[in-house]
Amino acid sequence: MMSESLVIVPFFSPWHAPFVQAALDGCGMNVRIVADADDEVVHLGLASVNNDACYSAIMAAGQARSALEEHFDHGGVSAGAVGEEARVGVTVSAPSTCVHCRADDLPYLVGRALGDSASEVLDIAEAIQRLPKYAQQRMAAALVGGDILLQTKLHVSAYADEEGRRALDEMVERERDLAVAALSSGKSFDIEVFARNVHQSAVSAMTRSGSIPAIGVVGSPSLVFNPGMNGELVHCIQREGCEAVLPYLSPSISYSLFQRGVSCPLAKALDELCASLPDVPTRYSCETVGQLKDHARGFIPEDVVCGAGWMLAGQMLSLWGNGVRSILYASVFGCMAGHVSGQGVLKGIRNACPSINLASVEYDPGTSVVNQVNRIKLLASIAKRPHLADGERELQKTG
């Protein structure tokens, strides 16, 4: 990934994208992170990839095509042009956190969608291995920084009044801009100092007392963190008067790299940062891959690594251990690995956690949004019932 070669990266989290972009800019990398995920991007993907493919592949293909068309238009070259003039110096890296499943076809599908418009299409593991060590370490800090700010915003906003939310939004924008400026300039970015600053600025916005019903969300990160794919389910949960609790993205990326057999500074740095982060005002603390694996032990075999593998069970049990009693499993239509490692563990988790409120919502470009919203509304209505807390107390009495 040389600085003179443009690398386009379709990315699934609009929240983390500015942090990653800034980190790579500060390292002199000519990379463009593309996180747009509106209807136009979905239509571009569907025009390029069959609709029975993985939803992540459809979205990545649409993002890559959109970015390439913009790049070539600005350069005076048509995206449909064939030959070295259109292809030279353009590489596309197709990221996926899922492993050993249909997501492995992502580079191939994106390559087919782009035709001769790109000189090379890499999977995310190969692209990361081409990055120098210092760039990978900066990326790790960027990803964890994005996690800290997102987790703080989600939790604090649930306990803030209207004035507190305005102050919170201002704080989030200010801290994000400062972090992006430091990362893009190549200056030192101390993640612990950043976390403390966020903590000190956020706690004053928590003006509401009591306990707000929380709904945790698990699933493939490409779906969970992408509002264009999941119908803005975070806002939907918040509109129902509940706190939306998302997992941390950093451990999922570390997990994906480890399961691909990639030993790189990025995975190591992510694990070290997750293990050493100071407390911030969130629903639960960031856990390492090893800790999440311990949570999942007994619910799914450790050698089941297709899709998100044991990460989904680990995240569900981590949420449960932190008092989140309602969990939404966001699944992708046609994802067999997700059905095995996601739907397959729900019964065991229900048996082990009797008062848990679990629901599965399926997402696909053609799925009815009304059905998805109705499922979330039902989940939220149960989450707000007082009997959940009573059930939890009864469970504690019986051990």
PDB file of all heavy atoms in Angstrom, residues 56-83:
ATOM      1  N   SER A  56     -23.380  -8.053   3.064  1.00  0.00           N
ATOM      2  CA  SER A  56     -22.140  -7.280   3.202  1.00  0.00           C
ATOM      3  C   SER A  56     -21.431  -7.139   1.862  1.00  0.00           C
ATOM      4  O   SER A  56     -20.871  -6.084   1.552  1.00  0.00           O
ATOM      5  CB  SER A  56     -21.207  -7.956   4.208  1.00  0.00           C
ATOM      6  OG  SER A  56     -21.806  -8.045   5.480  1.00  0.00           O
ATOM      7  N   ALA A  57     -21.455  -8.201   1.063  1.00  0.00           N
ATOM      8  CA  ALA A  57     -20.822  -8.156  -0.250  1.00  0.00           C
ATOM      9  C   ALA A  57     -21.563  -7.195  -1.181  1.00  0.00           C
ATOM     10  O   ALA A  57     -20.954  -6.450  -1.945  1.00  0.00           O
ATOM     11  CB  ALA A  57     -20.783  -9.553  -0.866  1.00  0.00           C
ATOM     12  N   ILE A  58     -22.887  -7.215  -1.106  1.00  0.00           N
ATOM     13  CA  ILE A  58     -23.692  -6.301  -1.928  1.00  0.00           C
ATOM     14  C   ILE A  58     -23.364  -4.859  -1.584  1.00  0.00           C
ATOM     15  O   ILE A  58     -23.149  -4.019  -2.464  1.00  0.00           O
ATOM     16  CB  ILE A  58     -25.190  -6.583  -1.715  1.00  0.00           C
ATOM     17  CG1 ILE A  58     -25.553  -7.977  -2.267  1.00  0.00           C
ATOM     18  CG2 ILE A  58     -26.051  -5.516  -2.389  1.00  0.00           C
ATOM     19  CD1 ILE A  58     -26.960  -8.425  -1.926  1.00  0.00           C
ATOM     20  N   MET A  59     -23.308  -4.554  -0.285  1.00  0.00           N
ATOM     21  CA  MET A  59     -23.019  -3.191   0.138  1.00  0.00           C
ATOM     22  C   MET A  59     -21.601  -2.783  -0.236  1.00  0.00           C
ATOM     23  O   MET A  59     -21.368  -1.671  -0.717  1.00  0.00           O
ATOM     24  CB  MET A  59     -23.222  -3.063   1.648  1.00  0.00           C
ATOM     25  CG  MET A  59     -23.067  -1.639   2.167  1.00  0.00           C
ATOM     26  SD  MET A  59     -24.317  -0.505   1.518  1.00  0.00           S
ATOM     27  CE  MET A  59     -25.743  -1.013   2.482  1.00  0.00           C
ATOM     28  N   ALA A  60     -20.626  -3.677  -0.009  1.00  0.00           N
ATOM     29  CA  ALA A  60     -19.234  -3.351  -0.334  1.00  0.00           C
ATOM     30  C   ALA A  60     -19.062  -3.098  -1.828  1.00  0.00           C
ATOM     31  O   ALA A  60     -18.327  -2.193  -2.236  1.00  0.00           O
ATOM     32  CB  ALA A  60     -18.318  -4.483   0.127  1.00  0.00           C
ATOM     33  N   ALA A  61     -19.742  -3.894  -2.653  1.00  0.00           N
ATOM     34  CA  ALA A  61     -19.650  -3.690  -4.100  1.00  0.00           C
ATOM     35  C   ALA A  61     -20.226  -2.336  -4.488  1.00  0.00           C
ATOM     36  O   ALA A  61     -19.666  -1.613  -5.317  1.00  0.00           O
ATOM     37  CB  ALA A  61     -20.382  -4.815  -4.829  1.00  0.00           C
ATOM     38  N   GLY A  62     -21.358  -1.978  -3.897  1.00  0.00           N
ATOM     39  CA  GLY A  62     -21.961  -0.679  -4.185  1.00  0.00           C
ATOM     40  C   GLY A  62     -21.079   0.472  -3.735  1.00  0.00           C
ATOM     41  O   GLY A  62     -20.920   1.472  -4.451  1.00  0.00           O
ATOM     42  N   GLN A  63     -20.470   0.360  -2.556  1.00  0.00           N
ATOM     43  CA  GLN A  63     -19.579   1.407  -2.062  1.00  0.00           C
ATOM     44  C   GLN A  63     -18.353   1.558  -2.953  1.00  0.00           C
ATOM     45  O   GLN A  63     -17.933   2.683  -3.269  1.00  0.00           O
ATOM     46  CB  GLN A  63     -19.145   1.088  -0.627  1.00  0.00           C
ATOM     47  CG  GLN A  63     -20.251   1.231   0.407  1.00  0.00           C
ATOM     48  CD  GLN A  63     -19.817   0.748   1.770  1.00  0.00           C
ATOM     49  OE1 GLN A  63     -19.070  -0.222   1.904  1.00  0.00           O
ATOM     50  NE2 GLN A  63     -20.295   1.409   2.815  1.00  0.00           N
ATOM     51  N   ALA A  64     -17.773   0.429  -3.361  1.00  0.00           N
ATOM     52  CA  ALA A  64     -16.590   0.483  -4.207  1.00  0.00           C
ATOM     53  C   ALA A  64     -16.907   1.104  -5.567  1.00  0.00           C
ATOM     54  O   ALA A  64     -16.157   1.943  -6.081  1.00  0.00           O
ATOM     55  CB  ALA A  64     -16.008  -0.917  -4.384  1.00  0.00           C
ATOM     56  N   ARG A  65     -18.036   0.703  -6.155  1.00  0.00           N
ATOM     57  CA  ARG A  65     -18.422   1.279  -7.449  1.00  0.00           C
ATOM     58  C   ARG A  65     -18.680   2.777  -7.337  1.00  0.00           C
ATOM     59  O   ARG A  65     -18.256   3.557  -8.190  1.00  0.00           O
ATOM     60  CB  ARG A  65     -19.677   0.573  -7.975  1.00  0.00           C
ATOM     61  CG  ARG A  65     -19.408  -0.749  -8.660  1.00  0.00           C
ATOM     62  CD  ARG A  65     -20.619  -1.218  -9.436  1.00  0.00           C
ATOM     63  NE  ARG A  65     -21.034  -0.258 -10.456  1.00  0.00           N
ATOM     64  CZ  ARG A  65     -22.101  -0.406 -11.229  1.00  0.00           C
ATOM     65  NH1 ARG A  65     -22.869  -1.475 -11.088  1.00  0.00           N
ATOM     66  NH2 ARG A  65     -22.423   0.491 -12.123  1.00  0.00           N
ATOM     67  N   SER A  66     -19.366   3.179  -6.285  1.00  0.00           N
ATOM     68  CA  SER A  66     -19.651   4.599  -6.084  1.00  0.00           C
ATOM     69  C   SER A  66     -18.364   5.408  -5.954  1.00  0.00           C
ATOM     70  O   SER A  66     -18.203   6.468  -6.572  1.00  0.00           O
ATOM     71  CB  SER A  66     -20.521   4.776  -4.844  1.00  0.00           C
ATOM     72  OG  SER A  66     -20.750   6.141  -4.570  1.00  0.00           O
ATOM     73  N   ALA A  67     -17.419   4.906  -5.161  1.00  0.00           N
ATOM     74  CA  ALA A  67     -16.159   5.615  -4.944  1.00  0.00           C
ATOM     75  C   ALA A  67     -15.322   5.664  -6.224  1.00  0.00           C
ATOM     76  O   ALA A  67     -14.705   6.693  -6.532  1.00  0.00           O
ATOM     77  CB  ALA A  67     -15.369   4.946  -3.834  1.00  0.00           C
ATOM     78  N   LEU A  68     -15.306   4.571  -6.969  1.00  0.00           N
ATOM     79  CA  LEU A  68     -14.528   4.545  -8.206  1.00  0.00           C
ATOM     80  C   LEU A  68     -15.115   5.489  -9.250  1.00  0.00           C
ATOM     81  O   LEU A  68     -14.376   6.179  -9.959  1.00  0.00           O
ATOM     82  CB  LEU A  68     -14.467   3.122  -8.761  1.00  0.00           C
ATOM     83  CG  LEU A  68     -13.404   2.216  -8.135  1.00  0.00           C
ATOM     84  CD1 LEU A  68     -13.619   0.777  -8.562  1.00  0.00           C
ATOM     85  CD2 LEU A  68     -12.010   2.677  -8.522  1.00  0.00           C
ATOM     86  N   GLU A  69     -16.436   5.522  -9.362  1.00  0.00           N
ATOM     87  CA  GLU A  69     -17.057   6.427 -10.327  1.00  0.00           C
ATOM     88  C   GLU A  69     -16.731   7.875  -9.992  1.00  0.00           C
ATOM     89  O   GLU A  69     -16.417   8.675 -10.878  1.00  0.00           O
ATOM     90  CB  GLU A  69     -18.574   6.199 -10.342  1.00  0.00           C
ATOM     91  CG  GLU A  69     -18.988   4.899 -11.017  1.00  0.00           C
ATOM     92  CD  GLU A  69     -20.487   4.677 -10.958  1.00  0.00           C
ATOM     93  OE1 GLU A  69     -21.196   5.569 -10.438  1.00  0.00           O
ATOM     94  OE2 GLU A  69     -20.946   3.621 -11.440  1.00  0.00           O
ATOM     95  N   GLU A  70     -16.776   8.204  -8.706  1.00  0.00           N
ATOM     96  CA  GLU A  70     -16.427   9.561  -8.297  1.00  0.00           C
ATOM     97  C   GLU A  70     -14.960   9.858  -8.581  1.00  0.00           C
ATOM     98  O   GLU A  70     -14.603  10.936  -9.067  1.00  0.00           O
ATOM     99  CB  GLU A  70     -16.713   9.743  -6.808  1.00  0.00           C
ATOM    100  CG  GLU A  70     -16.430  11.149  -6.307  1.00  0.00           C
ATOM    101  CD  GLU A  70     -16.740  11.304  -4.837  1.00  0.00           C
ATOM    102  OE1 GLU A  70     -17.420  10.433  -4.267  1.00  0.00           O
ATOM    103  OE2 GLU A  70     -16.279  12.306  -4.248  1.00  0.00           O
ATOM    104  N   HIS A  71     -14.099   8.888  -8.307  1.00  0.00           N
ATOM    105  CA  HIS A  71     -12.659   9.077  -8.539  1.00  0.00           C
ATOM    106  C   HIS A  71     -12.359   9.297 -10.010  1.00  0.00           C
ATOM    107  O   HIS A  71     -11.624  10.222 -10.378  1.00  0.00           O
ATOM    108  CB  HIS A  71     -11.902   7.853  -8.032  1.00  0.00           C
ATOM    109  CG  HIS A  71     -10.459   7.798  -8.456  1.00  0.00           C
ATOM    110  ND1 HIS A  71      -9.510   8.673  -7.962  1.00  0.00           N
ATOM    111  CD2 HIS A  71      -9.821   6.988  -9.340  1.00  0.00           C
ATOM    112  CE1 HIS A  71      -8.337   8.389  -8.504  1.00  0.00           C
ATOM    113  NE2 HIS A  71      -8.502   7.380  -9.351  1.00  0.00           N
ATOM    114  N   PHE A  72     -12.932   8.453 -10.869  1.00  0.00           N
ATOM    115  CA  PHE A  72     -12.644   8.576 -12.298  1.00  0.00           C
ATOM    116  C   PHE A  72     -13.291   9.817 -12.900  1.00  0.00           C
ATOM    117  O   PHE A  72     -12.723  10.449 -13.787  1.00  0.00           O
ATOM    118  CB  PHE A  72     -13.115   7.314 -13.030  1.00  0.00           C
ATOM    119  CG  PHE A  72     -12.271   6.103 -12.737  1.00  0.00           C
ATOM    120  CD1 PHE A  72     -12.863   4.915 -12.347  1.00  0.00           C
ATOM    121  CD2 PHE A  72     -10.892   6.165 -12.838  1.00  0.00           C
ATOM    122  CE1 PHE A  72     -12.096   3.798 -12.069  1.00  0.00           C
ATOM    123  CE2 PHE A  72     -10.111   5.048 -12.569  1.00  0.00           C
ATOM    124  CZ  PHE A  72     -10.713   3.864 -12.182  1.00  0.00           C
ATOM    125  N   ASP A  73     -14.474  10.169 -12.418  1.00  0.00           N
ATOM    126  CA  ASP A  73     -15.112  11.387 -12.913  1.00  0.00           C
ATOM    127  C   ASP A  73     -14.267  12.617 -12.607  1.00  0.00           C
ATOM    128  O   ASP A  73     -14.084  13.495 -13.448  1.00  0.00           O
ATOM    129  CB  ASP A  73     -16.504  11.552 -12.293  1.00  0.00           C
ATOM    130  CG  ASP A  73     -17.504  10.574 -12.878  1.00  0.00           C
ATOM    131  OD1 ASP A  73     -17.201  10.002 -13.943  1.00  0.00           O
ATOM    132  OD2 ASP A  73     -18.573  10.377 -12.263  1.00  0.00           O
ATOM    133  N   HIS A  74     -13.725  12.656 -11.406  1.00  0.00           N
ATOM    134  CA  HIS A  74     -12.872  13.788 -11.032  1.00  0.00           C
ATOM    135  C   HIS A  74     -11.566  13.793 -11.811  1.00  0.00           C
ATOM    136  O   HIS A  74     -10.964  14.824 -12.044  1.00  0.00           O
ATOM    137  CB  HIS A  74     -12.575  13.752  -9.540  1.00  0.00           C
ATOM    138  CG  HIS A  74     -13.764  14.125  -8.702  1.00  0.00           C
ATOM    139  ND1 HIS A  74     -13.781  13.999  -7.338  1.00  0.00           N
ATOM    140  CD2 HIS A  74     -14.993  14.594  -9.048  1.00  0.00           C
ATOM    141  CE1 HIS A  74     -14.960  14.405  -6.878  1.00  0.00           C
ATOM    142  NE2 HIS A  74     -15.709  14.756  -7.903  1.00  0.00           N
ATOM    143  N   GLY A  75     -11.137  12.576 -12.218  1.00  0.00           N
ATOM    144  CA  GLY A  75      -9.889  12.493 -12.968  1.00  0.00           C
ATOM    145  C   GLY A  75     -10.074  12.575 -14.464  1.00  0.00           C
ATOM    146  O   GLY A  75      -9.121  12.465 -15.221  1.00  0.00           O
ATOM    147  N   GLY A  76     -11.325  12.722 -14.883  1.00  0.00           N
ATOM    148  CA  GLY A  76     -11.586  12.855 -16.308  1.00  0.00           C
ATOM    149  C   GLY A  76     -11.598  11.536 -17.058  1.00  0.00           C
ATOM    150  O   GLY A  76     -11.522  11.497 -18.275  1.00  0.00           O
ATOM    151  N   VAL A  77     -11.677  10.421 -16.340  1.00  0.00           N
ATOM    152  CA  VAL A  77     -11.695   9.106 -16.967  1.00  0.00           C
ATOM    153  C   VAL A  77     -12.989   8.404 -16.592  1.00  0.00           C
ATOM    154  O   VAL A  77     -13.383   8.398 -15.435  1.00  0.00           O
ATOM    155  CB  VAL A  77     -10.480   8.256 -16.496  1.00  0.00           C
ATOM    156  CG1 VAL A  77     -10.503   6.899 -17.172  1.00  0.00           C
ATOM    157  CG2 VAL A  77      -9.190   8.992 -16.778  1.00  0.00           C
ATOM    158  N   SER A  78     -13.643   7.798 -17.550  1.00  0.00           N
ATOM    159  CA  SER A  78     -14.891   7.085 -17.265  1.00  0.00           C
ATOM    160  C   SER A  78     -14.603   5.824 -16.478  1.00  0.00           C
ATOM    161  O   SER A  78     -13.645   5.106 -16.744  1.00  0.00           O
ATOM    162  CB  SER A  78     -15.585   6.718 -18.587  1.00  0.00           C
ATOM    163  OG  SER A  78     -16.632   5.814 -18.340  1.00  0.00           O
ATOM    164  N   ALA A  79     -15.460   5.547 -15.490  1.00  0.00           N
ATOM    165  CA  ALA A  79     -15.292   4.335 -14.688  1.00  0.00           C
ATOM    166  C   ALA A  79     -15.473   3.080 -15.522  1.00  0.00           C
ATOM    167  O   ALA A  79     -15.005   2.013 -15.159  1.00  0.00           O
ATOM    168  CB  ALA A  79     -16.277   4.329 -13.522  1.00  0.00           C
ATOM    169  N   GLY A  80     -16.148   3.192 -16.639  1.00  0.00           N
ATOM    170  CA  GLY A  80     -16.359   2.024 -17.481  1.00  0.00           C
ATOM    171  C   GLY A  80     -15.252   1.810 -18.494  1.00  0.00           C
ATOM    172  O   GLY A  80     -15.268   0.844 -19.244  1.00  0.00           O
ATOM    173  N   ALA A  81     -14.280   2.716 -18.515  1.00  0.00           N
ATOM    174  CA  ALA A  81     -13.196   2.586 -19.479  1.00  0.00           C
ATOM    175  C   ALA A  81     -12.360   1.353 -19.180  1.00  0.00           C
ATOM    176  O   ALA A  81     -12.145   0.987 -18.033  1.00  0.00           O
ATOM    177  CB  ALA A  81     -12.316   3.830 -19.453  1.00  0.00           C
ATOM    178  N   VAL A  82     -11.869   0.711 -20.222  1.00  0.00           N
ATOM    179  CA  VAL A  82     -11.060  -0.480 -20.065  1.00  0.00           C
ATOM    180  C   VAL A  82      -9.630  -0.135 -20.464  1.00  0.00           C
ATOM    181  O   VAL A  82      -9.393   0.556 -21.436  1.00  0.00           O
ATOM    182  CB  VAL A  82     -11.591  -1.635 -20.951  1.00  0.00           C
ATOM    183  CG1 VAL A  82     -10.699  -2.855 -20.828  1.00  0.00           C
ATOM    184  CG2 VAL A  82     -13.021  -1.970 -20.564  1.00  0.00           C
ATOM    185  N   GLY A  83      -8.670  -0.670 -19.703  1.00  0.00           N
ATOM    186  CA  GLY A  83      -7.279  -0.416 -20.036  1.00  0.00           C
ATOM    187  C   GLY A  83      -6.521   0.192 -18.885  1.00  0.00           C
ATOM    188  O   GLY A  83      -7.070   0.547 -17.855  1.00  0.00           O
TER     189      GLY A  83
END
